[in-house]
Amino acid sequence: MRDGRQLGAFLTARRKVTPREQAGLPTGGRRKASGLSREEIAHLAGISHDYYVRIEQGRAPHPSYRVLDALAQVLQLDPEATRYLHRLANPCTGEPPAADPPEARAARVVQKLHWPAIALNRRLDVLARNHLATLLHGGLQYGDNLMRMLFLNPVAHEGILEWDQEAALHVAHLRAATGVAGHSFAAELVEELSSESRRFHELWTRYDVGLLKPSPLRLRYRGLGDLTLERETLLVADADMFVFTLEPEIGTPSERALSLMASGWI
């Protein structure tokens, strides 16, 4: 097998033998297969179902390192199996590049946190998610960048209560995080969002500036109802990286809901 067919065969095989409970999904019901479906693995990895299907079918033979690492996390691959996955996708290089330390460090940081946590760079590209954040936010189209997910994914409008307020806060954060000298870093993203989202263009041209501060975030999650989570923004100064954490108040329905999600009951 050549090109992406070996990669597709590997992912197909590992997907079919990955227990649903190991991936944090409920078991039982009408579904008889013990492994993960294509839709489920795409959802958990934060990529579109169509894109994952193309990877398995060998029509997208060279996924990014970020996508490969997300798939490895969902499939619970150990370090050697993860290296093998990267070699299948990039046979010439064999290993993830050493010049890609932010993602590796981001993964180490967020995996240490109990509640949902996402690591991002200044452009709000998602560098890593921990398991609960993957369950909470995974599967949304444009999940590779928080701004694209917020403005270009219709599901975000339904799942984020007080969406317009959140949109304004994130645009102001993006402008503050990139800064005047760093505007070129986000220029392509800003151009894309301005052309595809009228609301983003309106907010961006207001020139609001302000980093996200600790504040409640209200979400509506299927099967869980409304969640109220306290958002904290942590700056990893020597890594040019932000970490967003979402923590419920102890003893609230939101805490119980997230605990059930973490245990695989929901």
Side-chain angles (χ1 to χ4, degrees):
M1 292 187 289
R2 297 181 180 178
D3 299 325
R5 286 177 291 176
Q6 285 187 322
L7 173 63
F10 176 77
L11 289 172
T12 300
R14 299 314 307 167
R15 170 174 62 81
K16 290 181 177 179
V17 298
T18 300
R20 291 170 55 78
E21 60 271 20
Q22 179 177 304
L25 295 174
T27 57
R30 296 182 179 179
R31 194 171 184 274
K32 296 181 179 180
S34 60
L36 300 174
S37 69
R38 286 172 168 175
E39 185 175 5
E40 287 167 341
I41 192 172
H43 169 80
L44 292 172
I47 60 178
S48 72
H49 176 239
D50 177 68
Y51 182 44
Y52 180 75
V53 170
R54 287 190 286 118
I55 295 174
E56 271 206 6
Q57 293 177 344
R59 296 185 290 122
H62 305 297
S64 70
Y65 293 106
R66 193 173 303 157
V67 168
L68 292 171
D69 284 340
L71 292 173
Q73 181 179 343
V74 172
L75 296 172
Q76 301 290 299
L77 300 182
D78 63 22
E80 185 57 41
T82 300
R83 285 191 291 270
Y84 180 79
L85 174 65
H86 279 277
R87 287 196 296 270
L88 289 176
N90 303 282
C92 294
T93 59
E95 302 287 346
D100 193 22
E103 285 81 355
R105 181 165 185 193
R108 290 196 299 271
V109 170
V110 298
Q111 293 306 325
K112 296 176 182 177
L113 301 175
H114 178 67
W115 296 116
I118 307 176
L120 309 107
N121 62 17
R122 288 184 296 128
R123 206 179 78 145
L124 300 187
D125 295 316
V126 176
L127 302 177
R129 298 179 178 90
N130 64 6
H131 184 59
L132 258 183
T134 299
L135 293 177
L136 197 60
H137 295 118
L140 290 177
Q141 192 178 10
Y142 305 113
D144 62 324
N145 178 275
L146 209 59
M147 300 300 293
R148 297 177 76 231
M149 183 181 70
L150 186 61
F151 284 93
L152 304 185
N153 190 337
V155 178
H157 289 256
E158 303 168 7
I160 301 176
L161 305 179
E162 302 159 351
W163 180 89
D164 202 62
Q165 174 183 319
E166 285 297 316
L169 290 172
H170 280 76
V171 170
H173 179 96
L174 178 65
R175 187 176 287 281
T178 54
V180 176
H183 175 66
S184 59
F185 178 63
E188 184 179 348
L189 175 66
V190 170
E191 182 178 354
E192 175 192 1
L193 293 173
S194 296
S195 64
E196 298 193 29
S197 169
R198 179 178 179 180
R199 186 54 181 151
F200 176 86
H201 177 71
E202 292 172 349
L203 291 170
W204 186 255
T205 53
R206 277 175 26 179
Y207 281 81
D208 293 336
V209 180
L211 294 175
L212 282 167
K213 296 179 174 60
S215 59
L217 174 65
R218 299 179 61 232
L219 304 174
R220 178 163 293 156
Y221 189 86
R222 63 191 182 284
L224 295 179
D226 293 354
L227 303 175
T228 299
L229 306 173
E230 189 66 25
R231 173 177 46 212
E232 293 280 355
T233 305
L234 311 174
L235 173 63
V236 183
D238 62 340
D240 198 18
M241 177 173 69
F242 297 93
V243 176
F244 287 174
T245 65
L246 298 173
E247 185 171 344
E249 185 178 346
I250 302 300
T252 62
S254 296
E255 185 204 14
R256 290 191 288 273
L258 282 186
S259 296
L260 287 173
M261 181 188 293
S263 65
W265 284 95
I266 294 179

